[in-house]
Amino acid sequence: MGDYYQVTEWREGYYRIGSPENVFSEVIIGTDKALLFDTGYGFGNLAKTVKEITDLPLIIVNSHGHVDHCGGNYQFDEPGYLHPADMELSYSHTSEKMRALSVEQAKETRDILTGEKHNILPEKFDEDSYITAGIGDLIPMEEGQIFDLGDKKLEVVGLPGHTPGSVGLLEREDEILFVGDAINAHLWLFLPESLKLSDYIATLHKAQELPFSQMVQAHHPMIAEKDVLTGYLDTAENLDIGKGHPYPNAIFPEIASVICAREGYDFRDPGFSSIVISEEHLG
Ligand SMILES: [Zn+2]
Ligand SMILES: [Zn+2]
């Protein structure tokens, strides 16, 4: 299981933990403390991987309440900080029912390149204890709260849209913004817990005013530059649901979600962006 997670230090003191789960956890090392942003599904031994990076006192922060971001909290003694607006969501996402569903999906994960299905659960995975693991202790956090790691300071920035309690962490001096799922080129805004398109547009405008140059997105292996926001805003502000294409989703098949992509861009272009949305989220 040693290789379940891949750790890269992409900038001094900033580590990304990747895994077959296709979601990244971030570890930020300060002079006094370390911070773990998101815990993935937690199928592998994430706590051990984090321990191998640092033995500093650890602060755990969840970007939002989805199971692919707070599913590994159970492995840690430390509580997770979460925005209060996503508390209920995180409990339902780490319920036995949702965890069992995540395990079933993990057994049939489609390879992005080959399209073939394979089981991403690690060897010796203890299914029963995973399904009943819950989420552990949570502490509500608020806008403007600062996690002080010594030299580095991470500030909580509300980025509602994808979920009501989605947050980013801003390191002003190093000009880095961690955004979880709140801002990206394939934004899910069709979920029952998602807010309106206008809320997401407000979040994008808010992000544009923040002092950062690099943006770290939970499902993307590359670090984004700030100017991608221009394309995301163009997509959001000119969105015409009538021009979208059906986007069947396995989680909520009853929701008629469509994908609306930026006009004039192929999905391979750097300026490409898209939003998956349903009628209820317009306006
Ligand atoms: Zn999410
Ligand atoms: Zn996610």
Side-chain angles (χ1 to χ4, degrees):
M1 193 152 94
D3 295 322
Y4 190 75
Y5 293 105
Q6 299 88 44
V7 178
T8 42
E9 187 178 15
W10 60 276
R11 186 168 160 174
E12 198 181 344
Y14 293 92
Y15 293 80
R16 305 202 83 188
I17 304 177
S19 78
E21 297 170 1
N22 288 324
V23 59
F24 288 88
S25 297
E26 317 292 338
V27 177
I28 302 139
I29 310 286
T31 43
D32 302 335
K33 290 179 186 171
L35 187 146
L36 171 64
F37 190 51
D38 282 346
T39 58
Y41 285 96
F43 295 136
N45 195 338
L46 181 70
K48 179 169 165 268
T49 304
V50 172
K51 266 270 169 293
E52 285 164 3
I53 300 171
T54 179
D55 52 12
L56 285 170
L58 189 67
I59 299 167
I60 298 174
V61 179
N62 295 115
S63 64
H64 61 299
H66 285 156
V67 64
D68 55 327
H69 299 261
C70 58
N73 282 30
Y74 74 94
Q75 297 183 12
F76 297 86
D77 296 331
E78 295 83 357
Y81 284 89
L82 183 71
H83 191 283
D86 269 20
M87 289 275 179
E88 286 306 316
L89 179 66
S90 75
Y91 293 130
S92 79
H93 264 243
T94 53
S95 64
E96 290 190 27
K97 191 175 156 216
M98 271 298 278
R99 281 197 181 274
L101 186 67
S102 301
V103 168
E104 289 318 305
Q105 287 173 345
K107 289 175 183 170
E108 299 205 320
T109 301
R110 216 174 264 283
D111 188 279
I112 298 167
L113 296 176
T114 65
E116 274 172 41
K117 289 179 176 176
H118 64 292
N119 184 348
I120 62 156
L121 296 173
E123 273 178 63
K124 295 181 190 164
F125 179 71
D126 183 346
E127 204 167 309
D128 291 339
S129 44
Y130 180 83
I131 287 170
T132 55
I135 191 168
D137 294 332
L138 293 173
I139 300 179
M141 63 181 165
E142 56 188 43
E143 177 84 31
Q145 185 169 341
I146 288 171
F147 296 106
D148 189 347
L149 310 184
D151 54 345
K152 298 184 181 69
K153 294 176 191 2
L154 282 309
E155 179 180 333
V156 177
V157 180
L159 301 172
H162 174 64
T163 68
S166 285
V167 303
L169 289 182
L170 175 67
E171 216 299 327
R172 287 179 181 270
E173 201 157 308
D174 291 340
E175 297 187 351
I176 301 172
L177 181 66
F178 296 89
V179 296
D181 286 355
I183 298 175
N184 66 55
H186 182 68
L187 193 96
W188 279 20
L189 207 60
F190 68 90
L191 300 164
E193 61 269 25
S194 298
L195 302 181
K196 301 271 189 198
L197 181 61
S198 55
D199 297 306
Y200 177 52
I201 291 173
T203 276
L204 289 171
H205 282 297
K206 181 178 178 181
Q208 276 193 321
E209 300 303 314
L210 297 173
F212 72 95
S213 57
Q214 291 179 299
M215 183 166 66
V216 184
Q217 302 159 312
H219 294 284
H220 207 291
M222 306 290 283
I223 308 298
E225 303 291 323
K226 189 178 190 177
D227 60 13
V228 297
L229 292 178
T230 312
Y232 298 173
L233 256 175
D234 184 49
T235 310
E237 288 180 331
N238 297 302
L239 186 143
D240 177 353
I241 199 163
K243 289 184 182 167
H245 297 282
Y247 184 89
N249 72 87
I251 315 167
F252 298 104
E254 72 281 8
I255 298 178
S257 47
V258 297
I259 183 164
C260 298
R262 191 181 187 195
E263 293 260 2
Y265 288 82
D266 182 81
F267 77 95
R268 291 179 200 86
D269 298 333
F272 174 83
S273 76
S274 62
I275 297 173
V276 183
I277 194 166
S278 59
E279 286 280 350
E280 311 81 83
H281 298 287
L282 295 173

